[in-house]
């Protein structure tokens, strides 16, 4: 899970927080409440999850995109495309 958590953190930093070092991102930060991602950002996260981890995005609850740790949990979950 730590590798996936790192990958999600890097994605969030590259796409949404380019001025923040990855090691400073709290994996439990509420990304929506903090204004890091909005609805368009959520779509970008979903597309990345699908492309990178083969996650079936049609089965993802938007609440599961609220933190880096939650997104990482989706990446390691058994919900796979196919």
């Amino acid at each position: 899970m730590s590798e996936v958590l790192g990958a999600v953190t890097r994605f969030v930093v590259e796409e949404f927080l380019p001025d923040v070092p990855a090691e400073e991102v709290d994996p439990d930060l509420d990304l929506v409440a903090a204004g890091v991602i909005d609805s368009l950002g959520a779509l970008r996260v979903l597309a990345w999850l699908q492309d990178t981890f083969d996650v079936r995005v049609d089965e993802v609850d938007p609440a599961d995109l609220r933190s880096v740790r939650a997104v990482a949990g989706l990446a390691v979950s058994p919900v796979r495309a196919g």
Side-chain angles (χ1 to χ4, degrees):
M1 173 81 161
S2 64
E3 288 181 27
V4 174
L5 192 61
V8 174
T9 300
R10 285 188 299 278
F11 173 77
V12 168
V13 167
E14 290 170 7
E15 295 294 320
F16 306 106
L17 298 169
D19 297 328
V20 176
E23 58 274 1
E24 290 183 16
V25 175
D26 178 355
D28 296 312
L29 172 70
D30 187 324
L31 299 171
V32 175
V36 176
I37 64 170
D38 55 13
S39 57
L40 182 58
L43 291 175
R44 289 169 53 194
V45 172
L46 287 172
W48 179 79
L49 276 171
Q50 185 173 23
D51 293 345
T52 306
F53 296 103
D54 202 27
V55 172
R56 290 184 58 163
V57 298
D58 58 327
E59 295 184 16
V60 172
D61 183 342
D64 292 330
L65 303 175
R66 294 197 74 90
S67 72
V68 168
R69 190 178 311 278
V71 173
L74 289 172
V76 298
S77 74
V79 180
R80 300 283 185 230

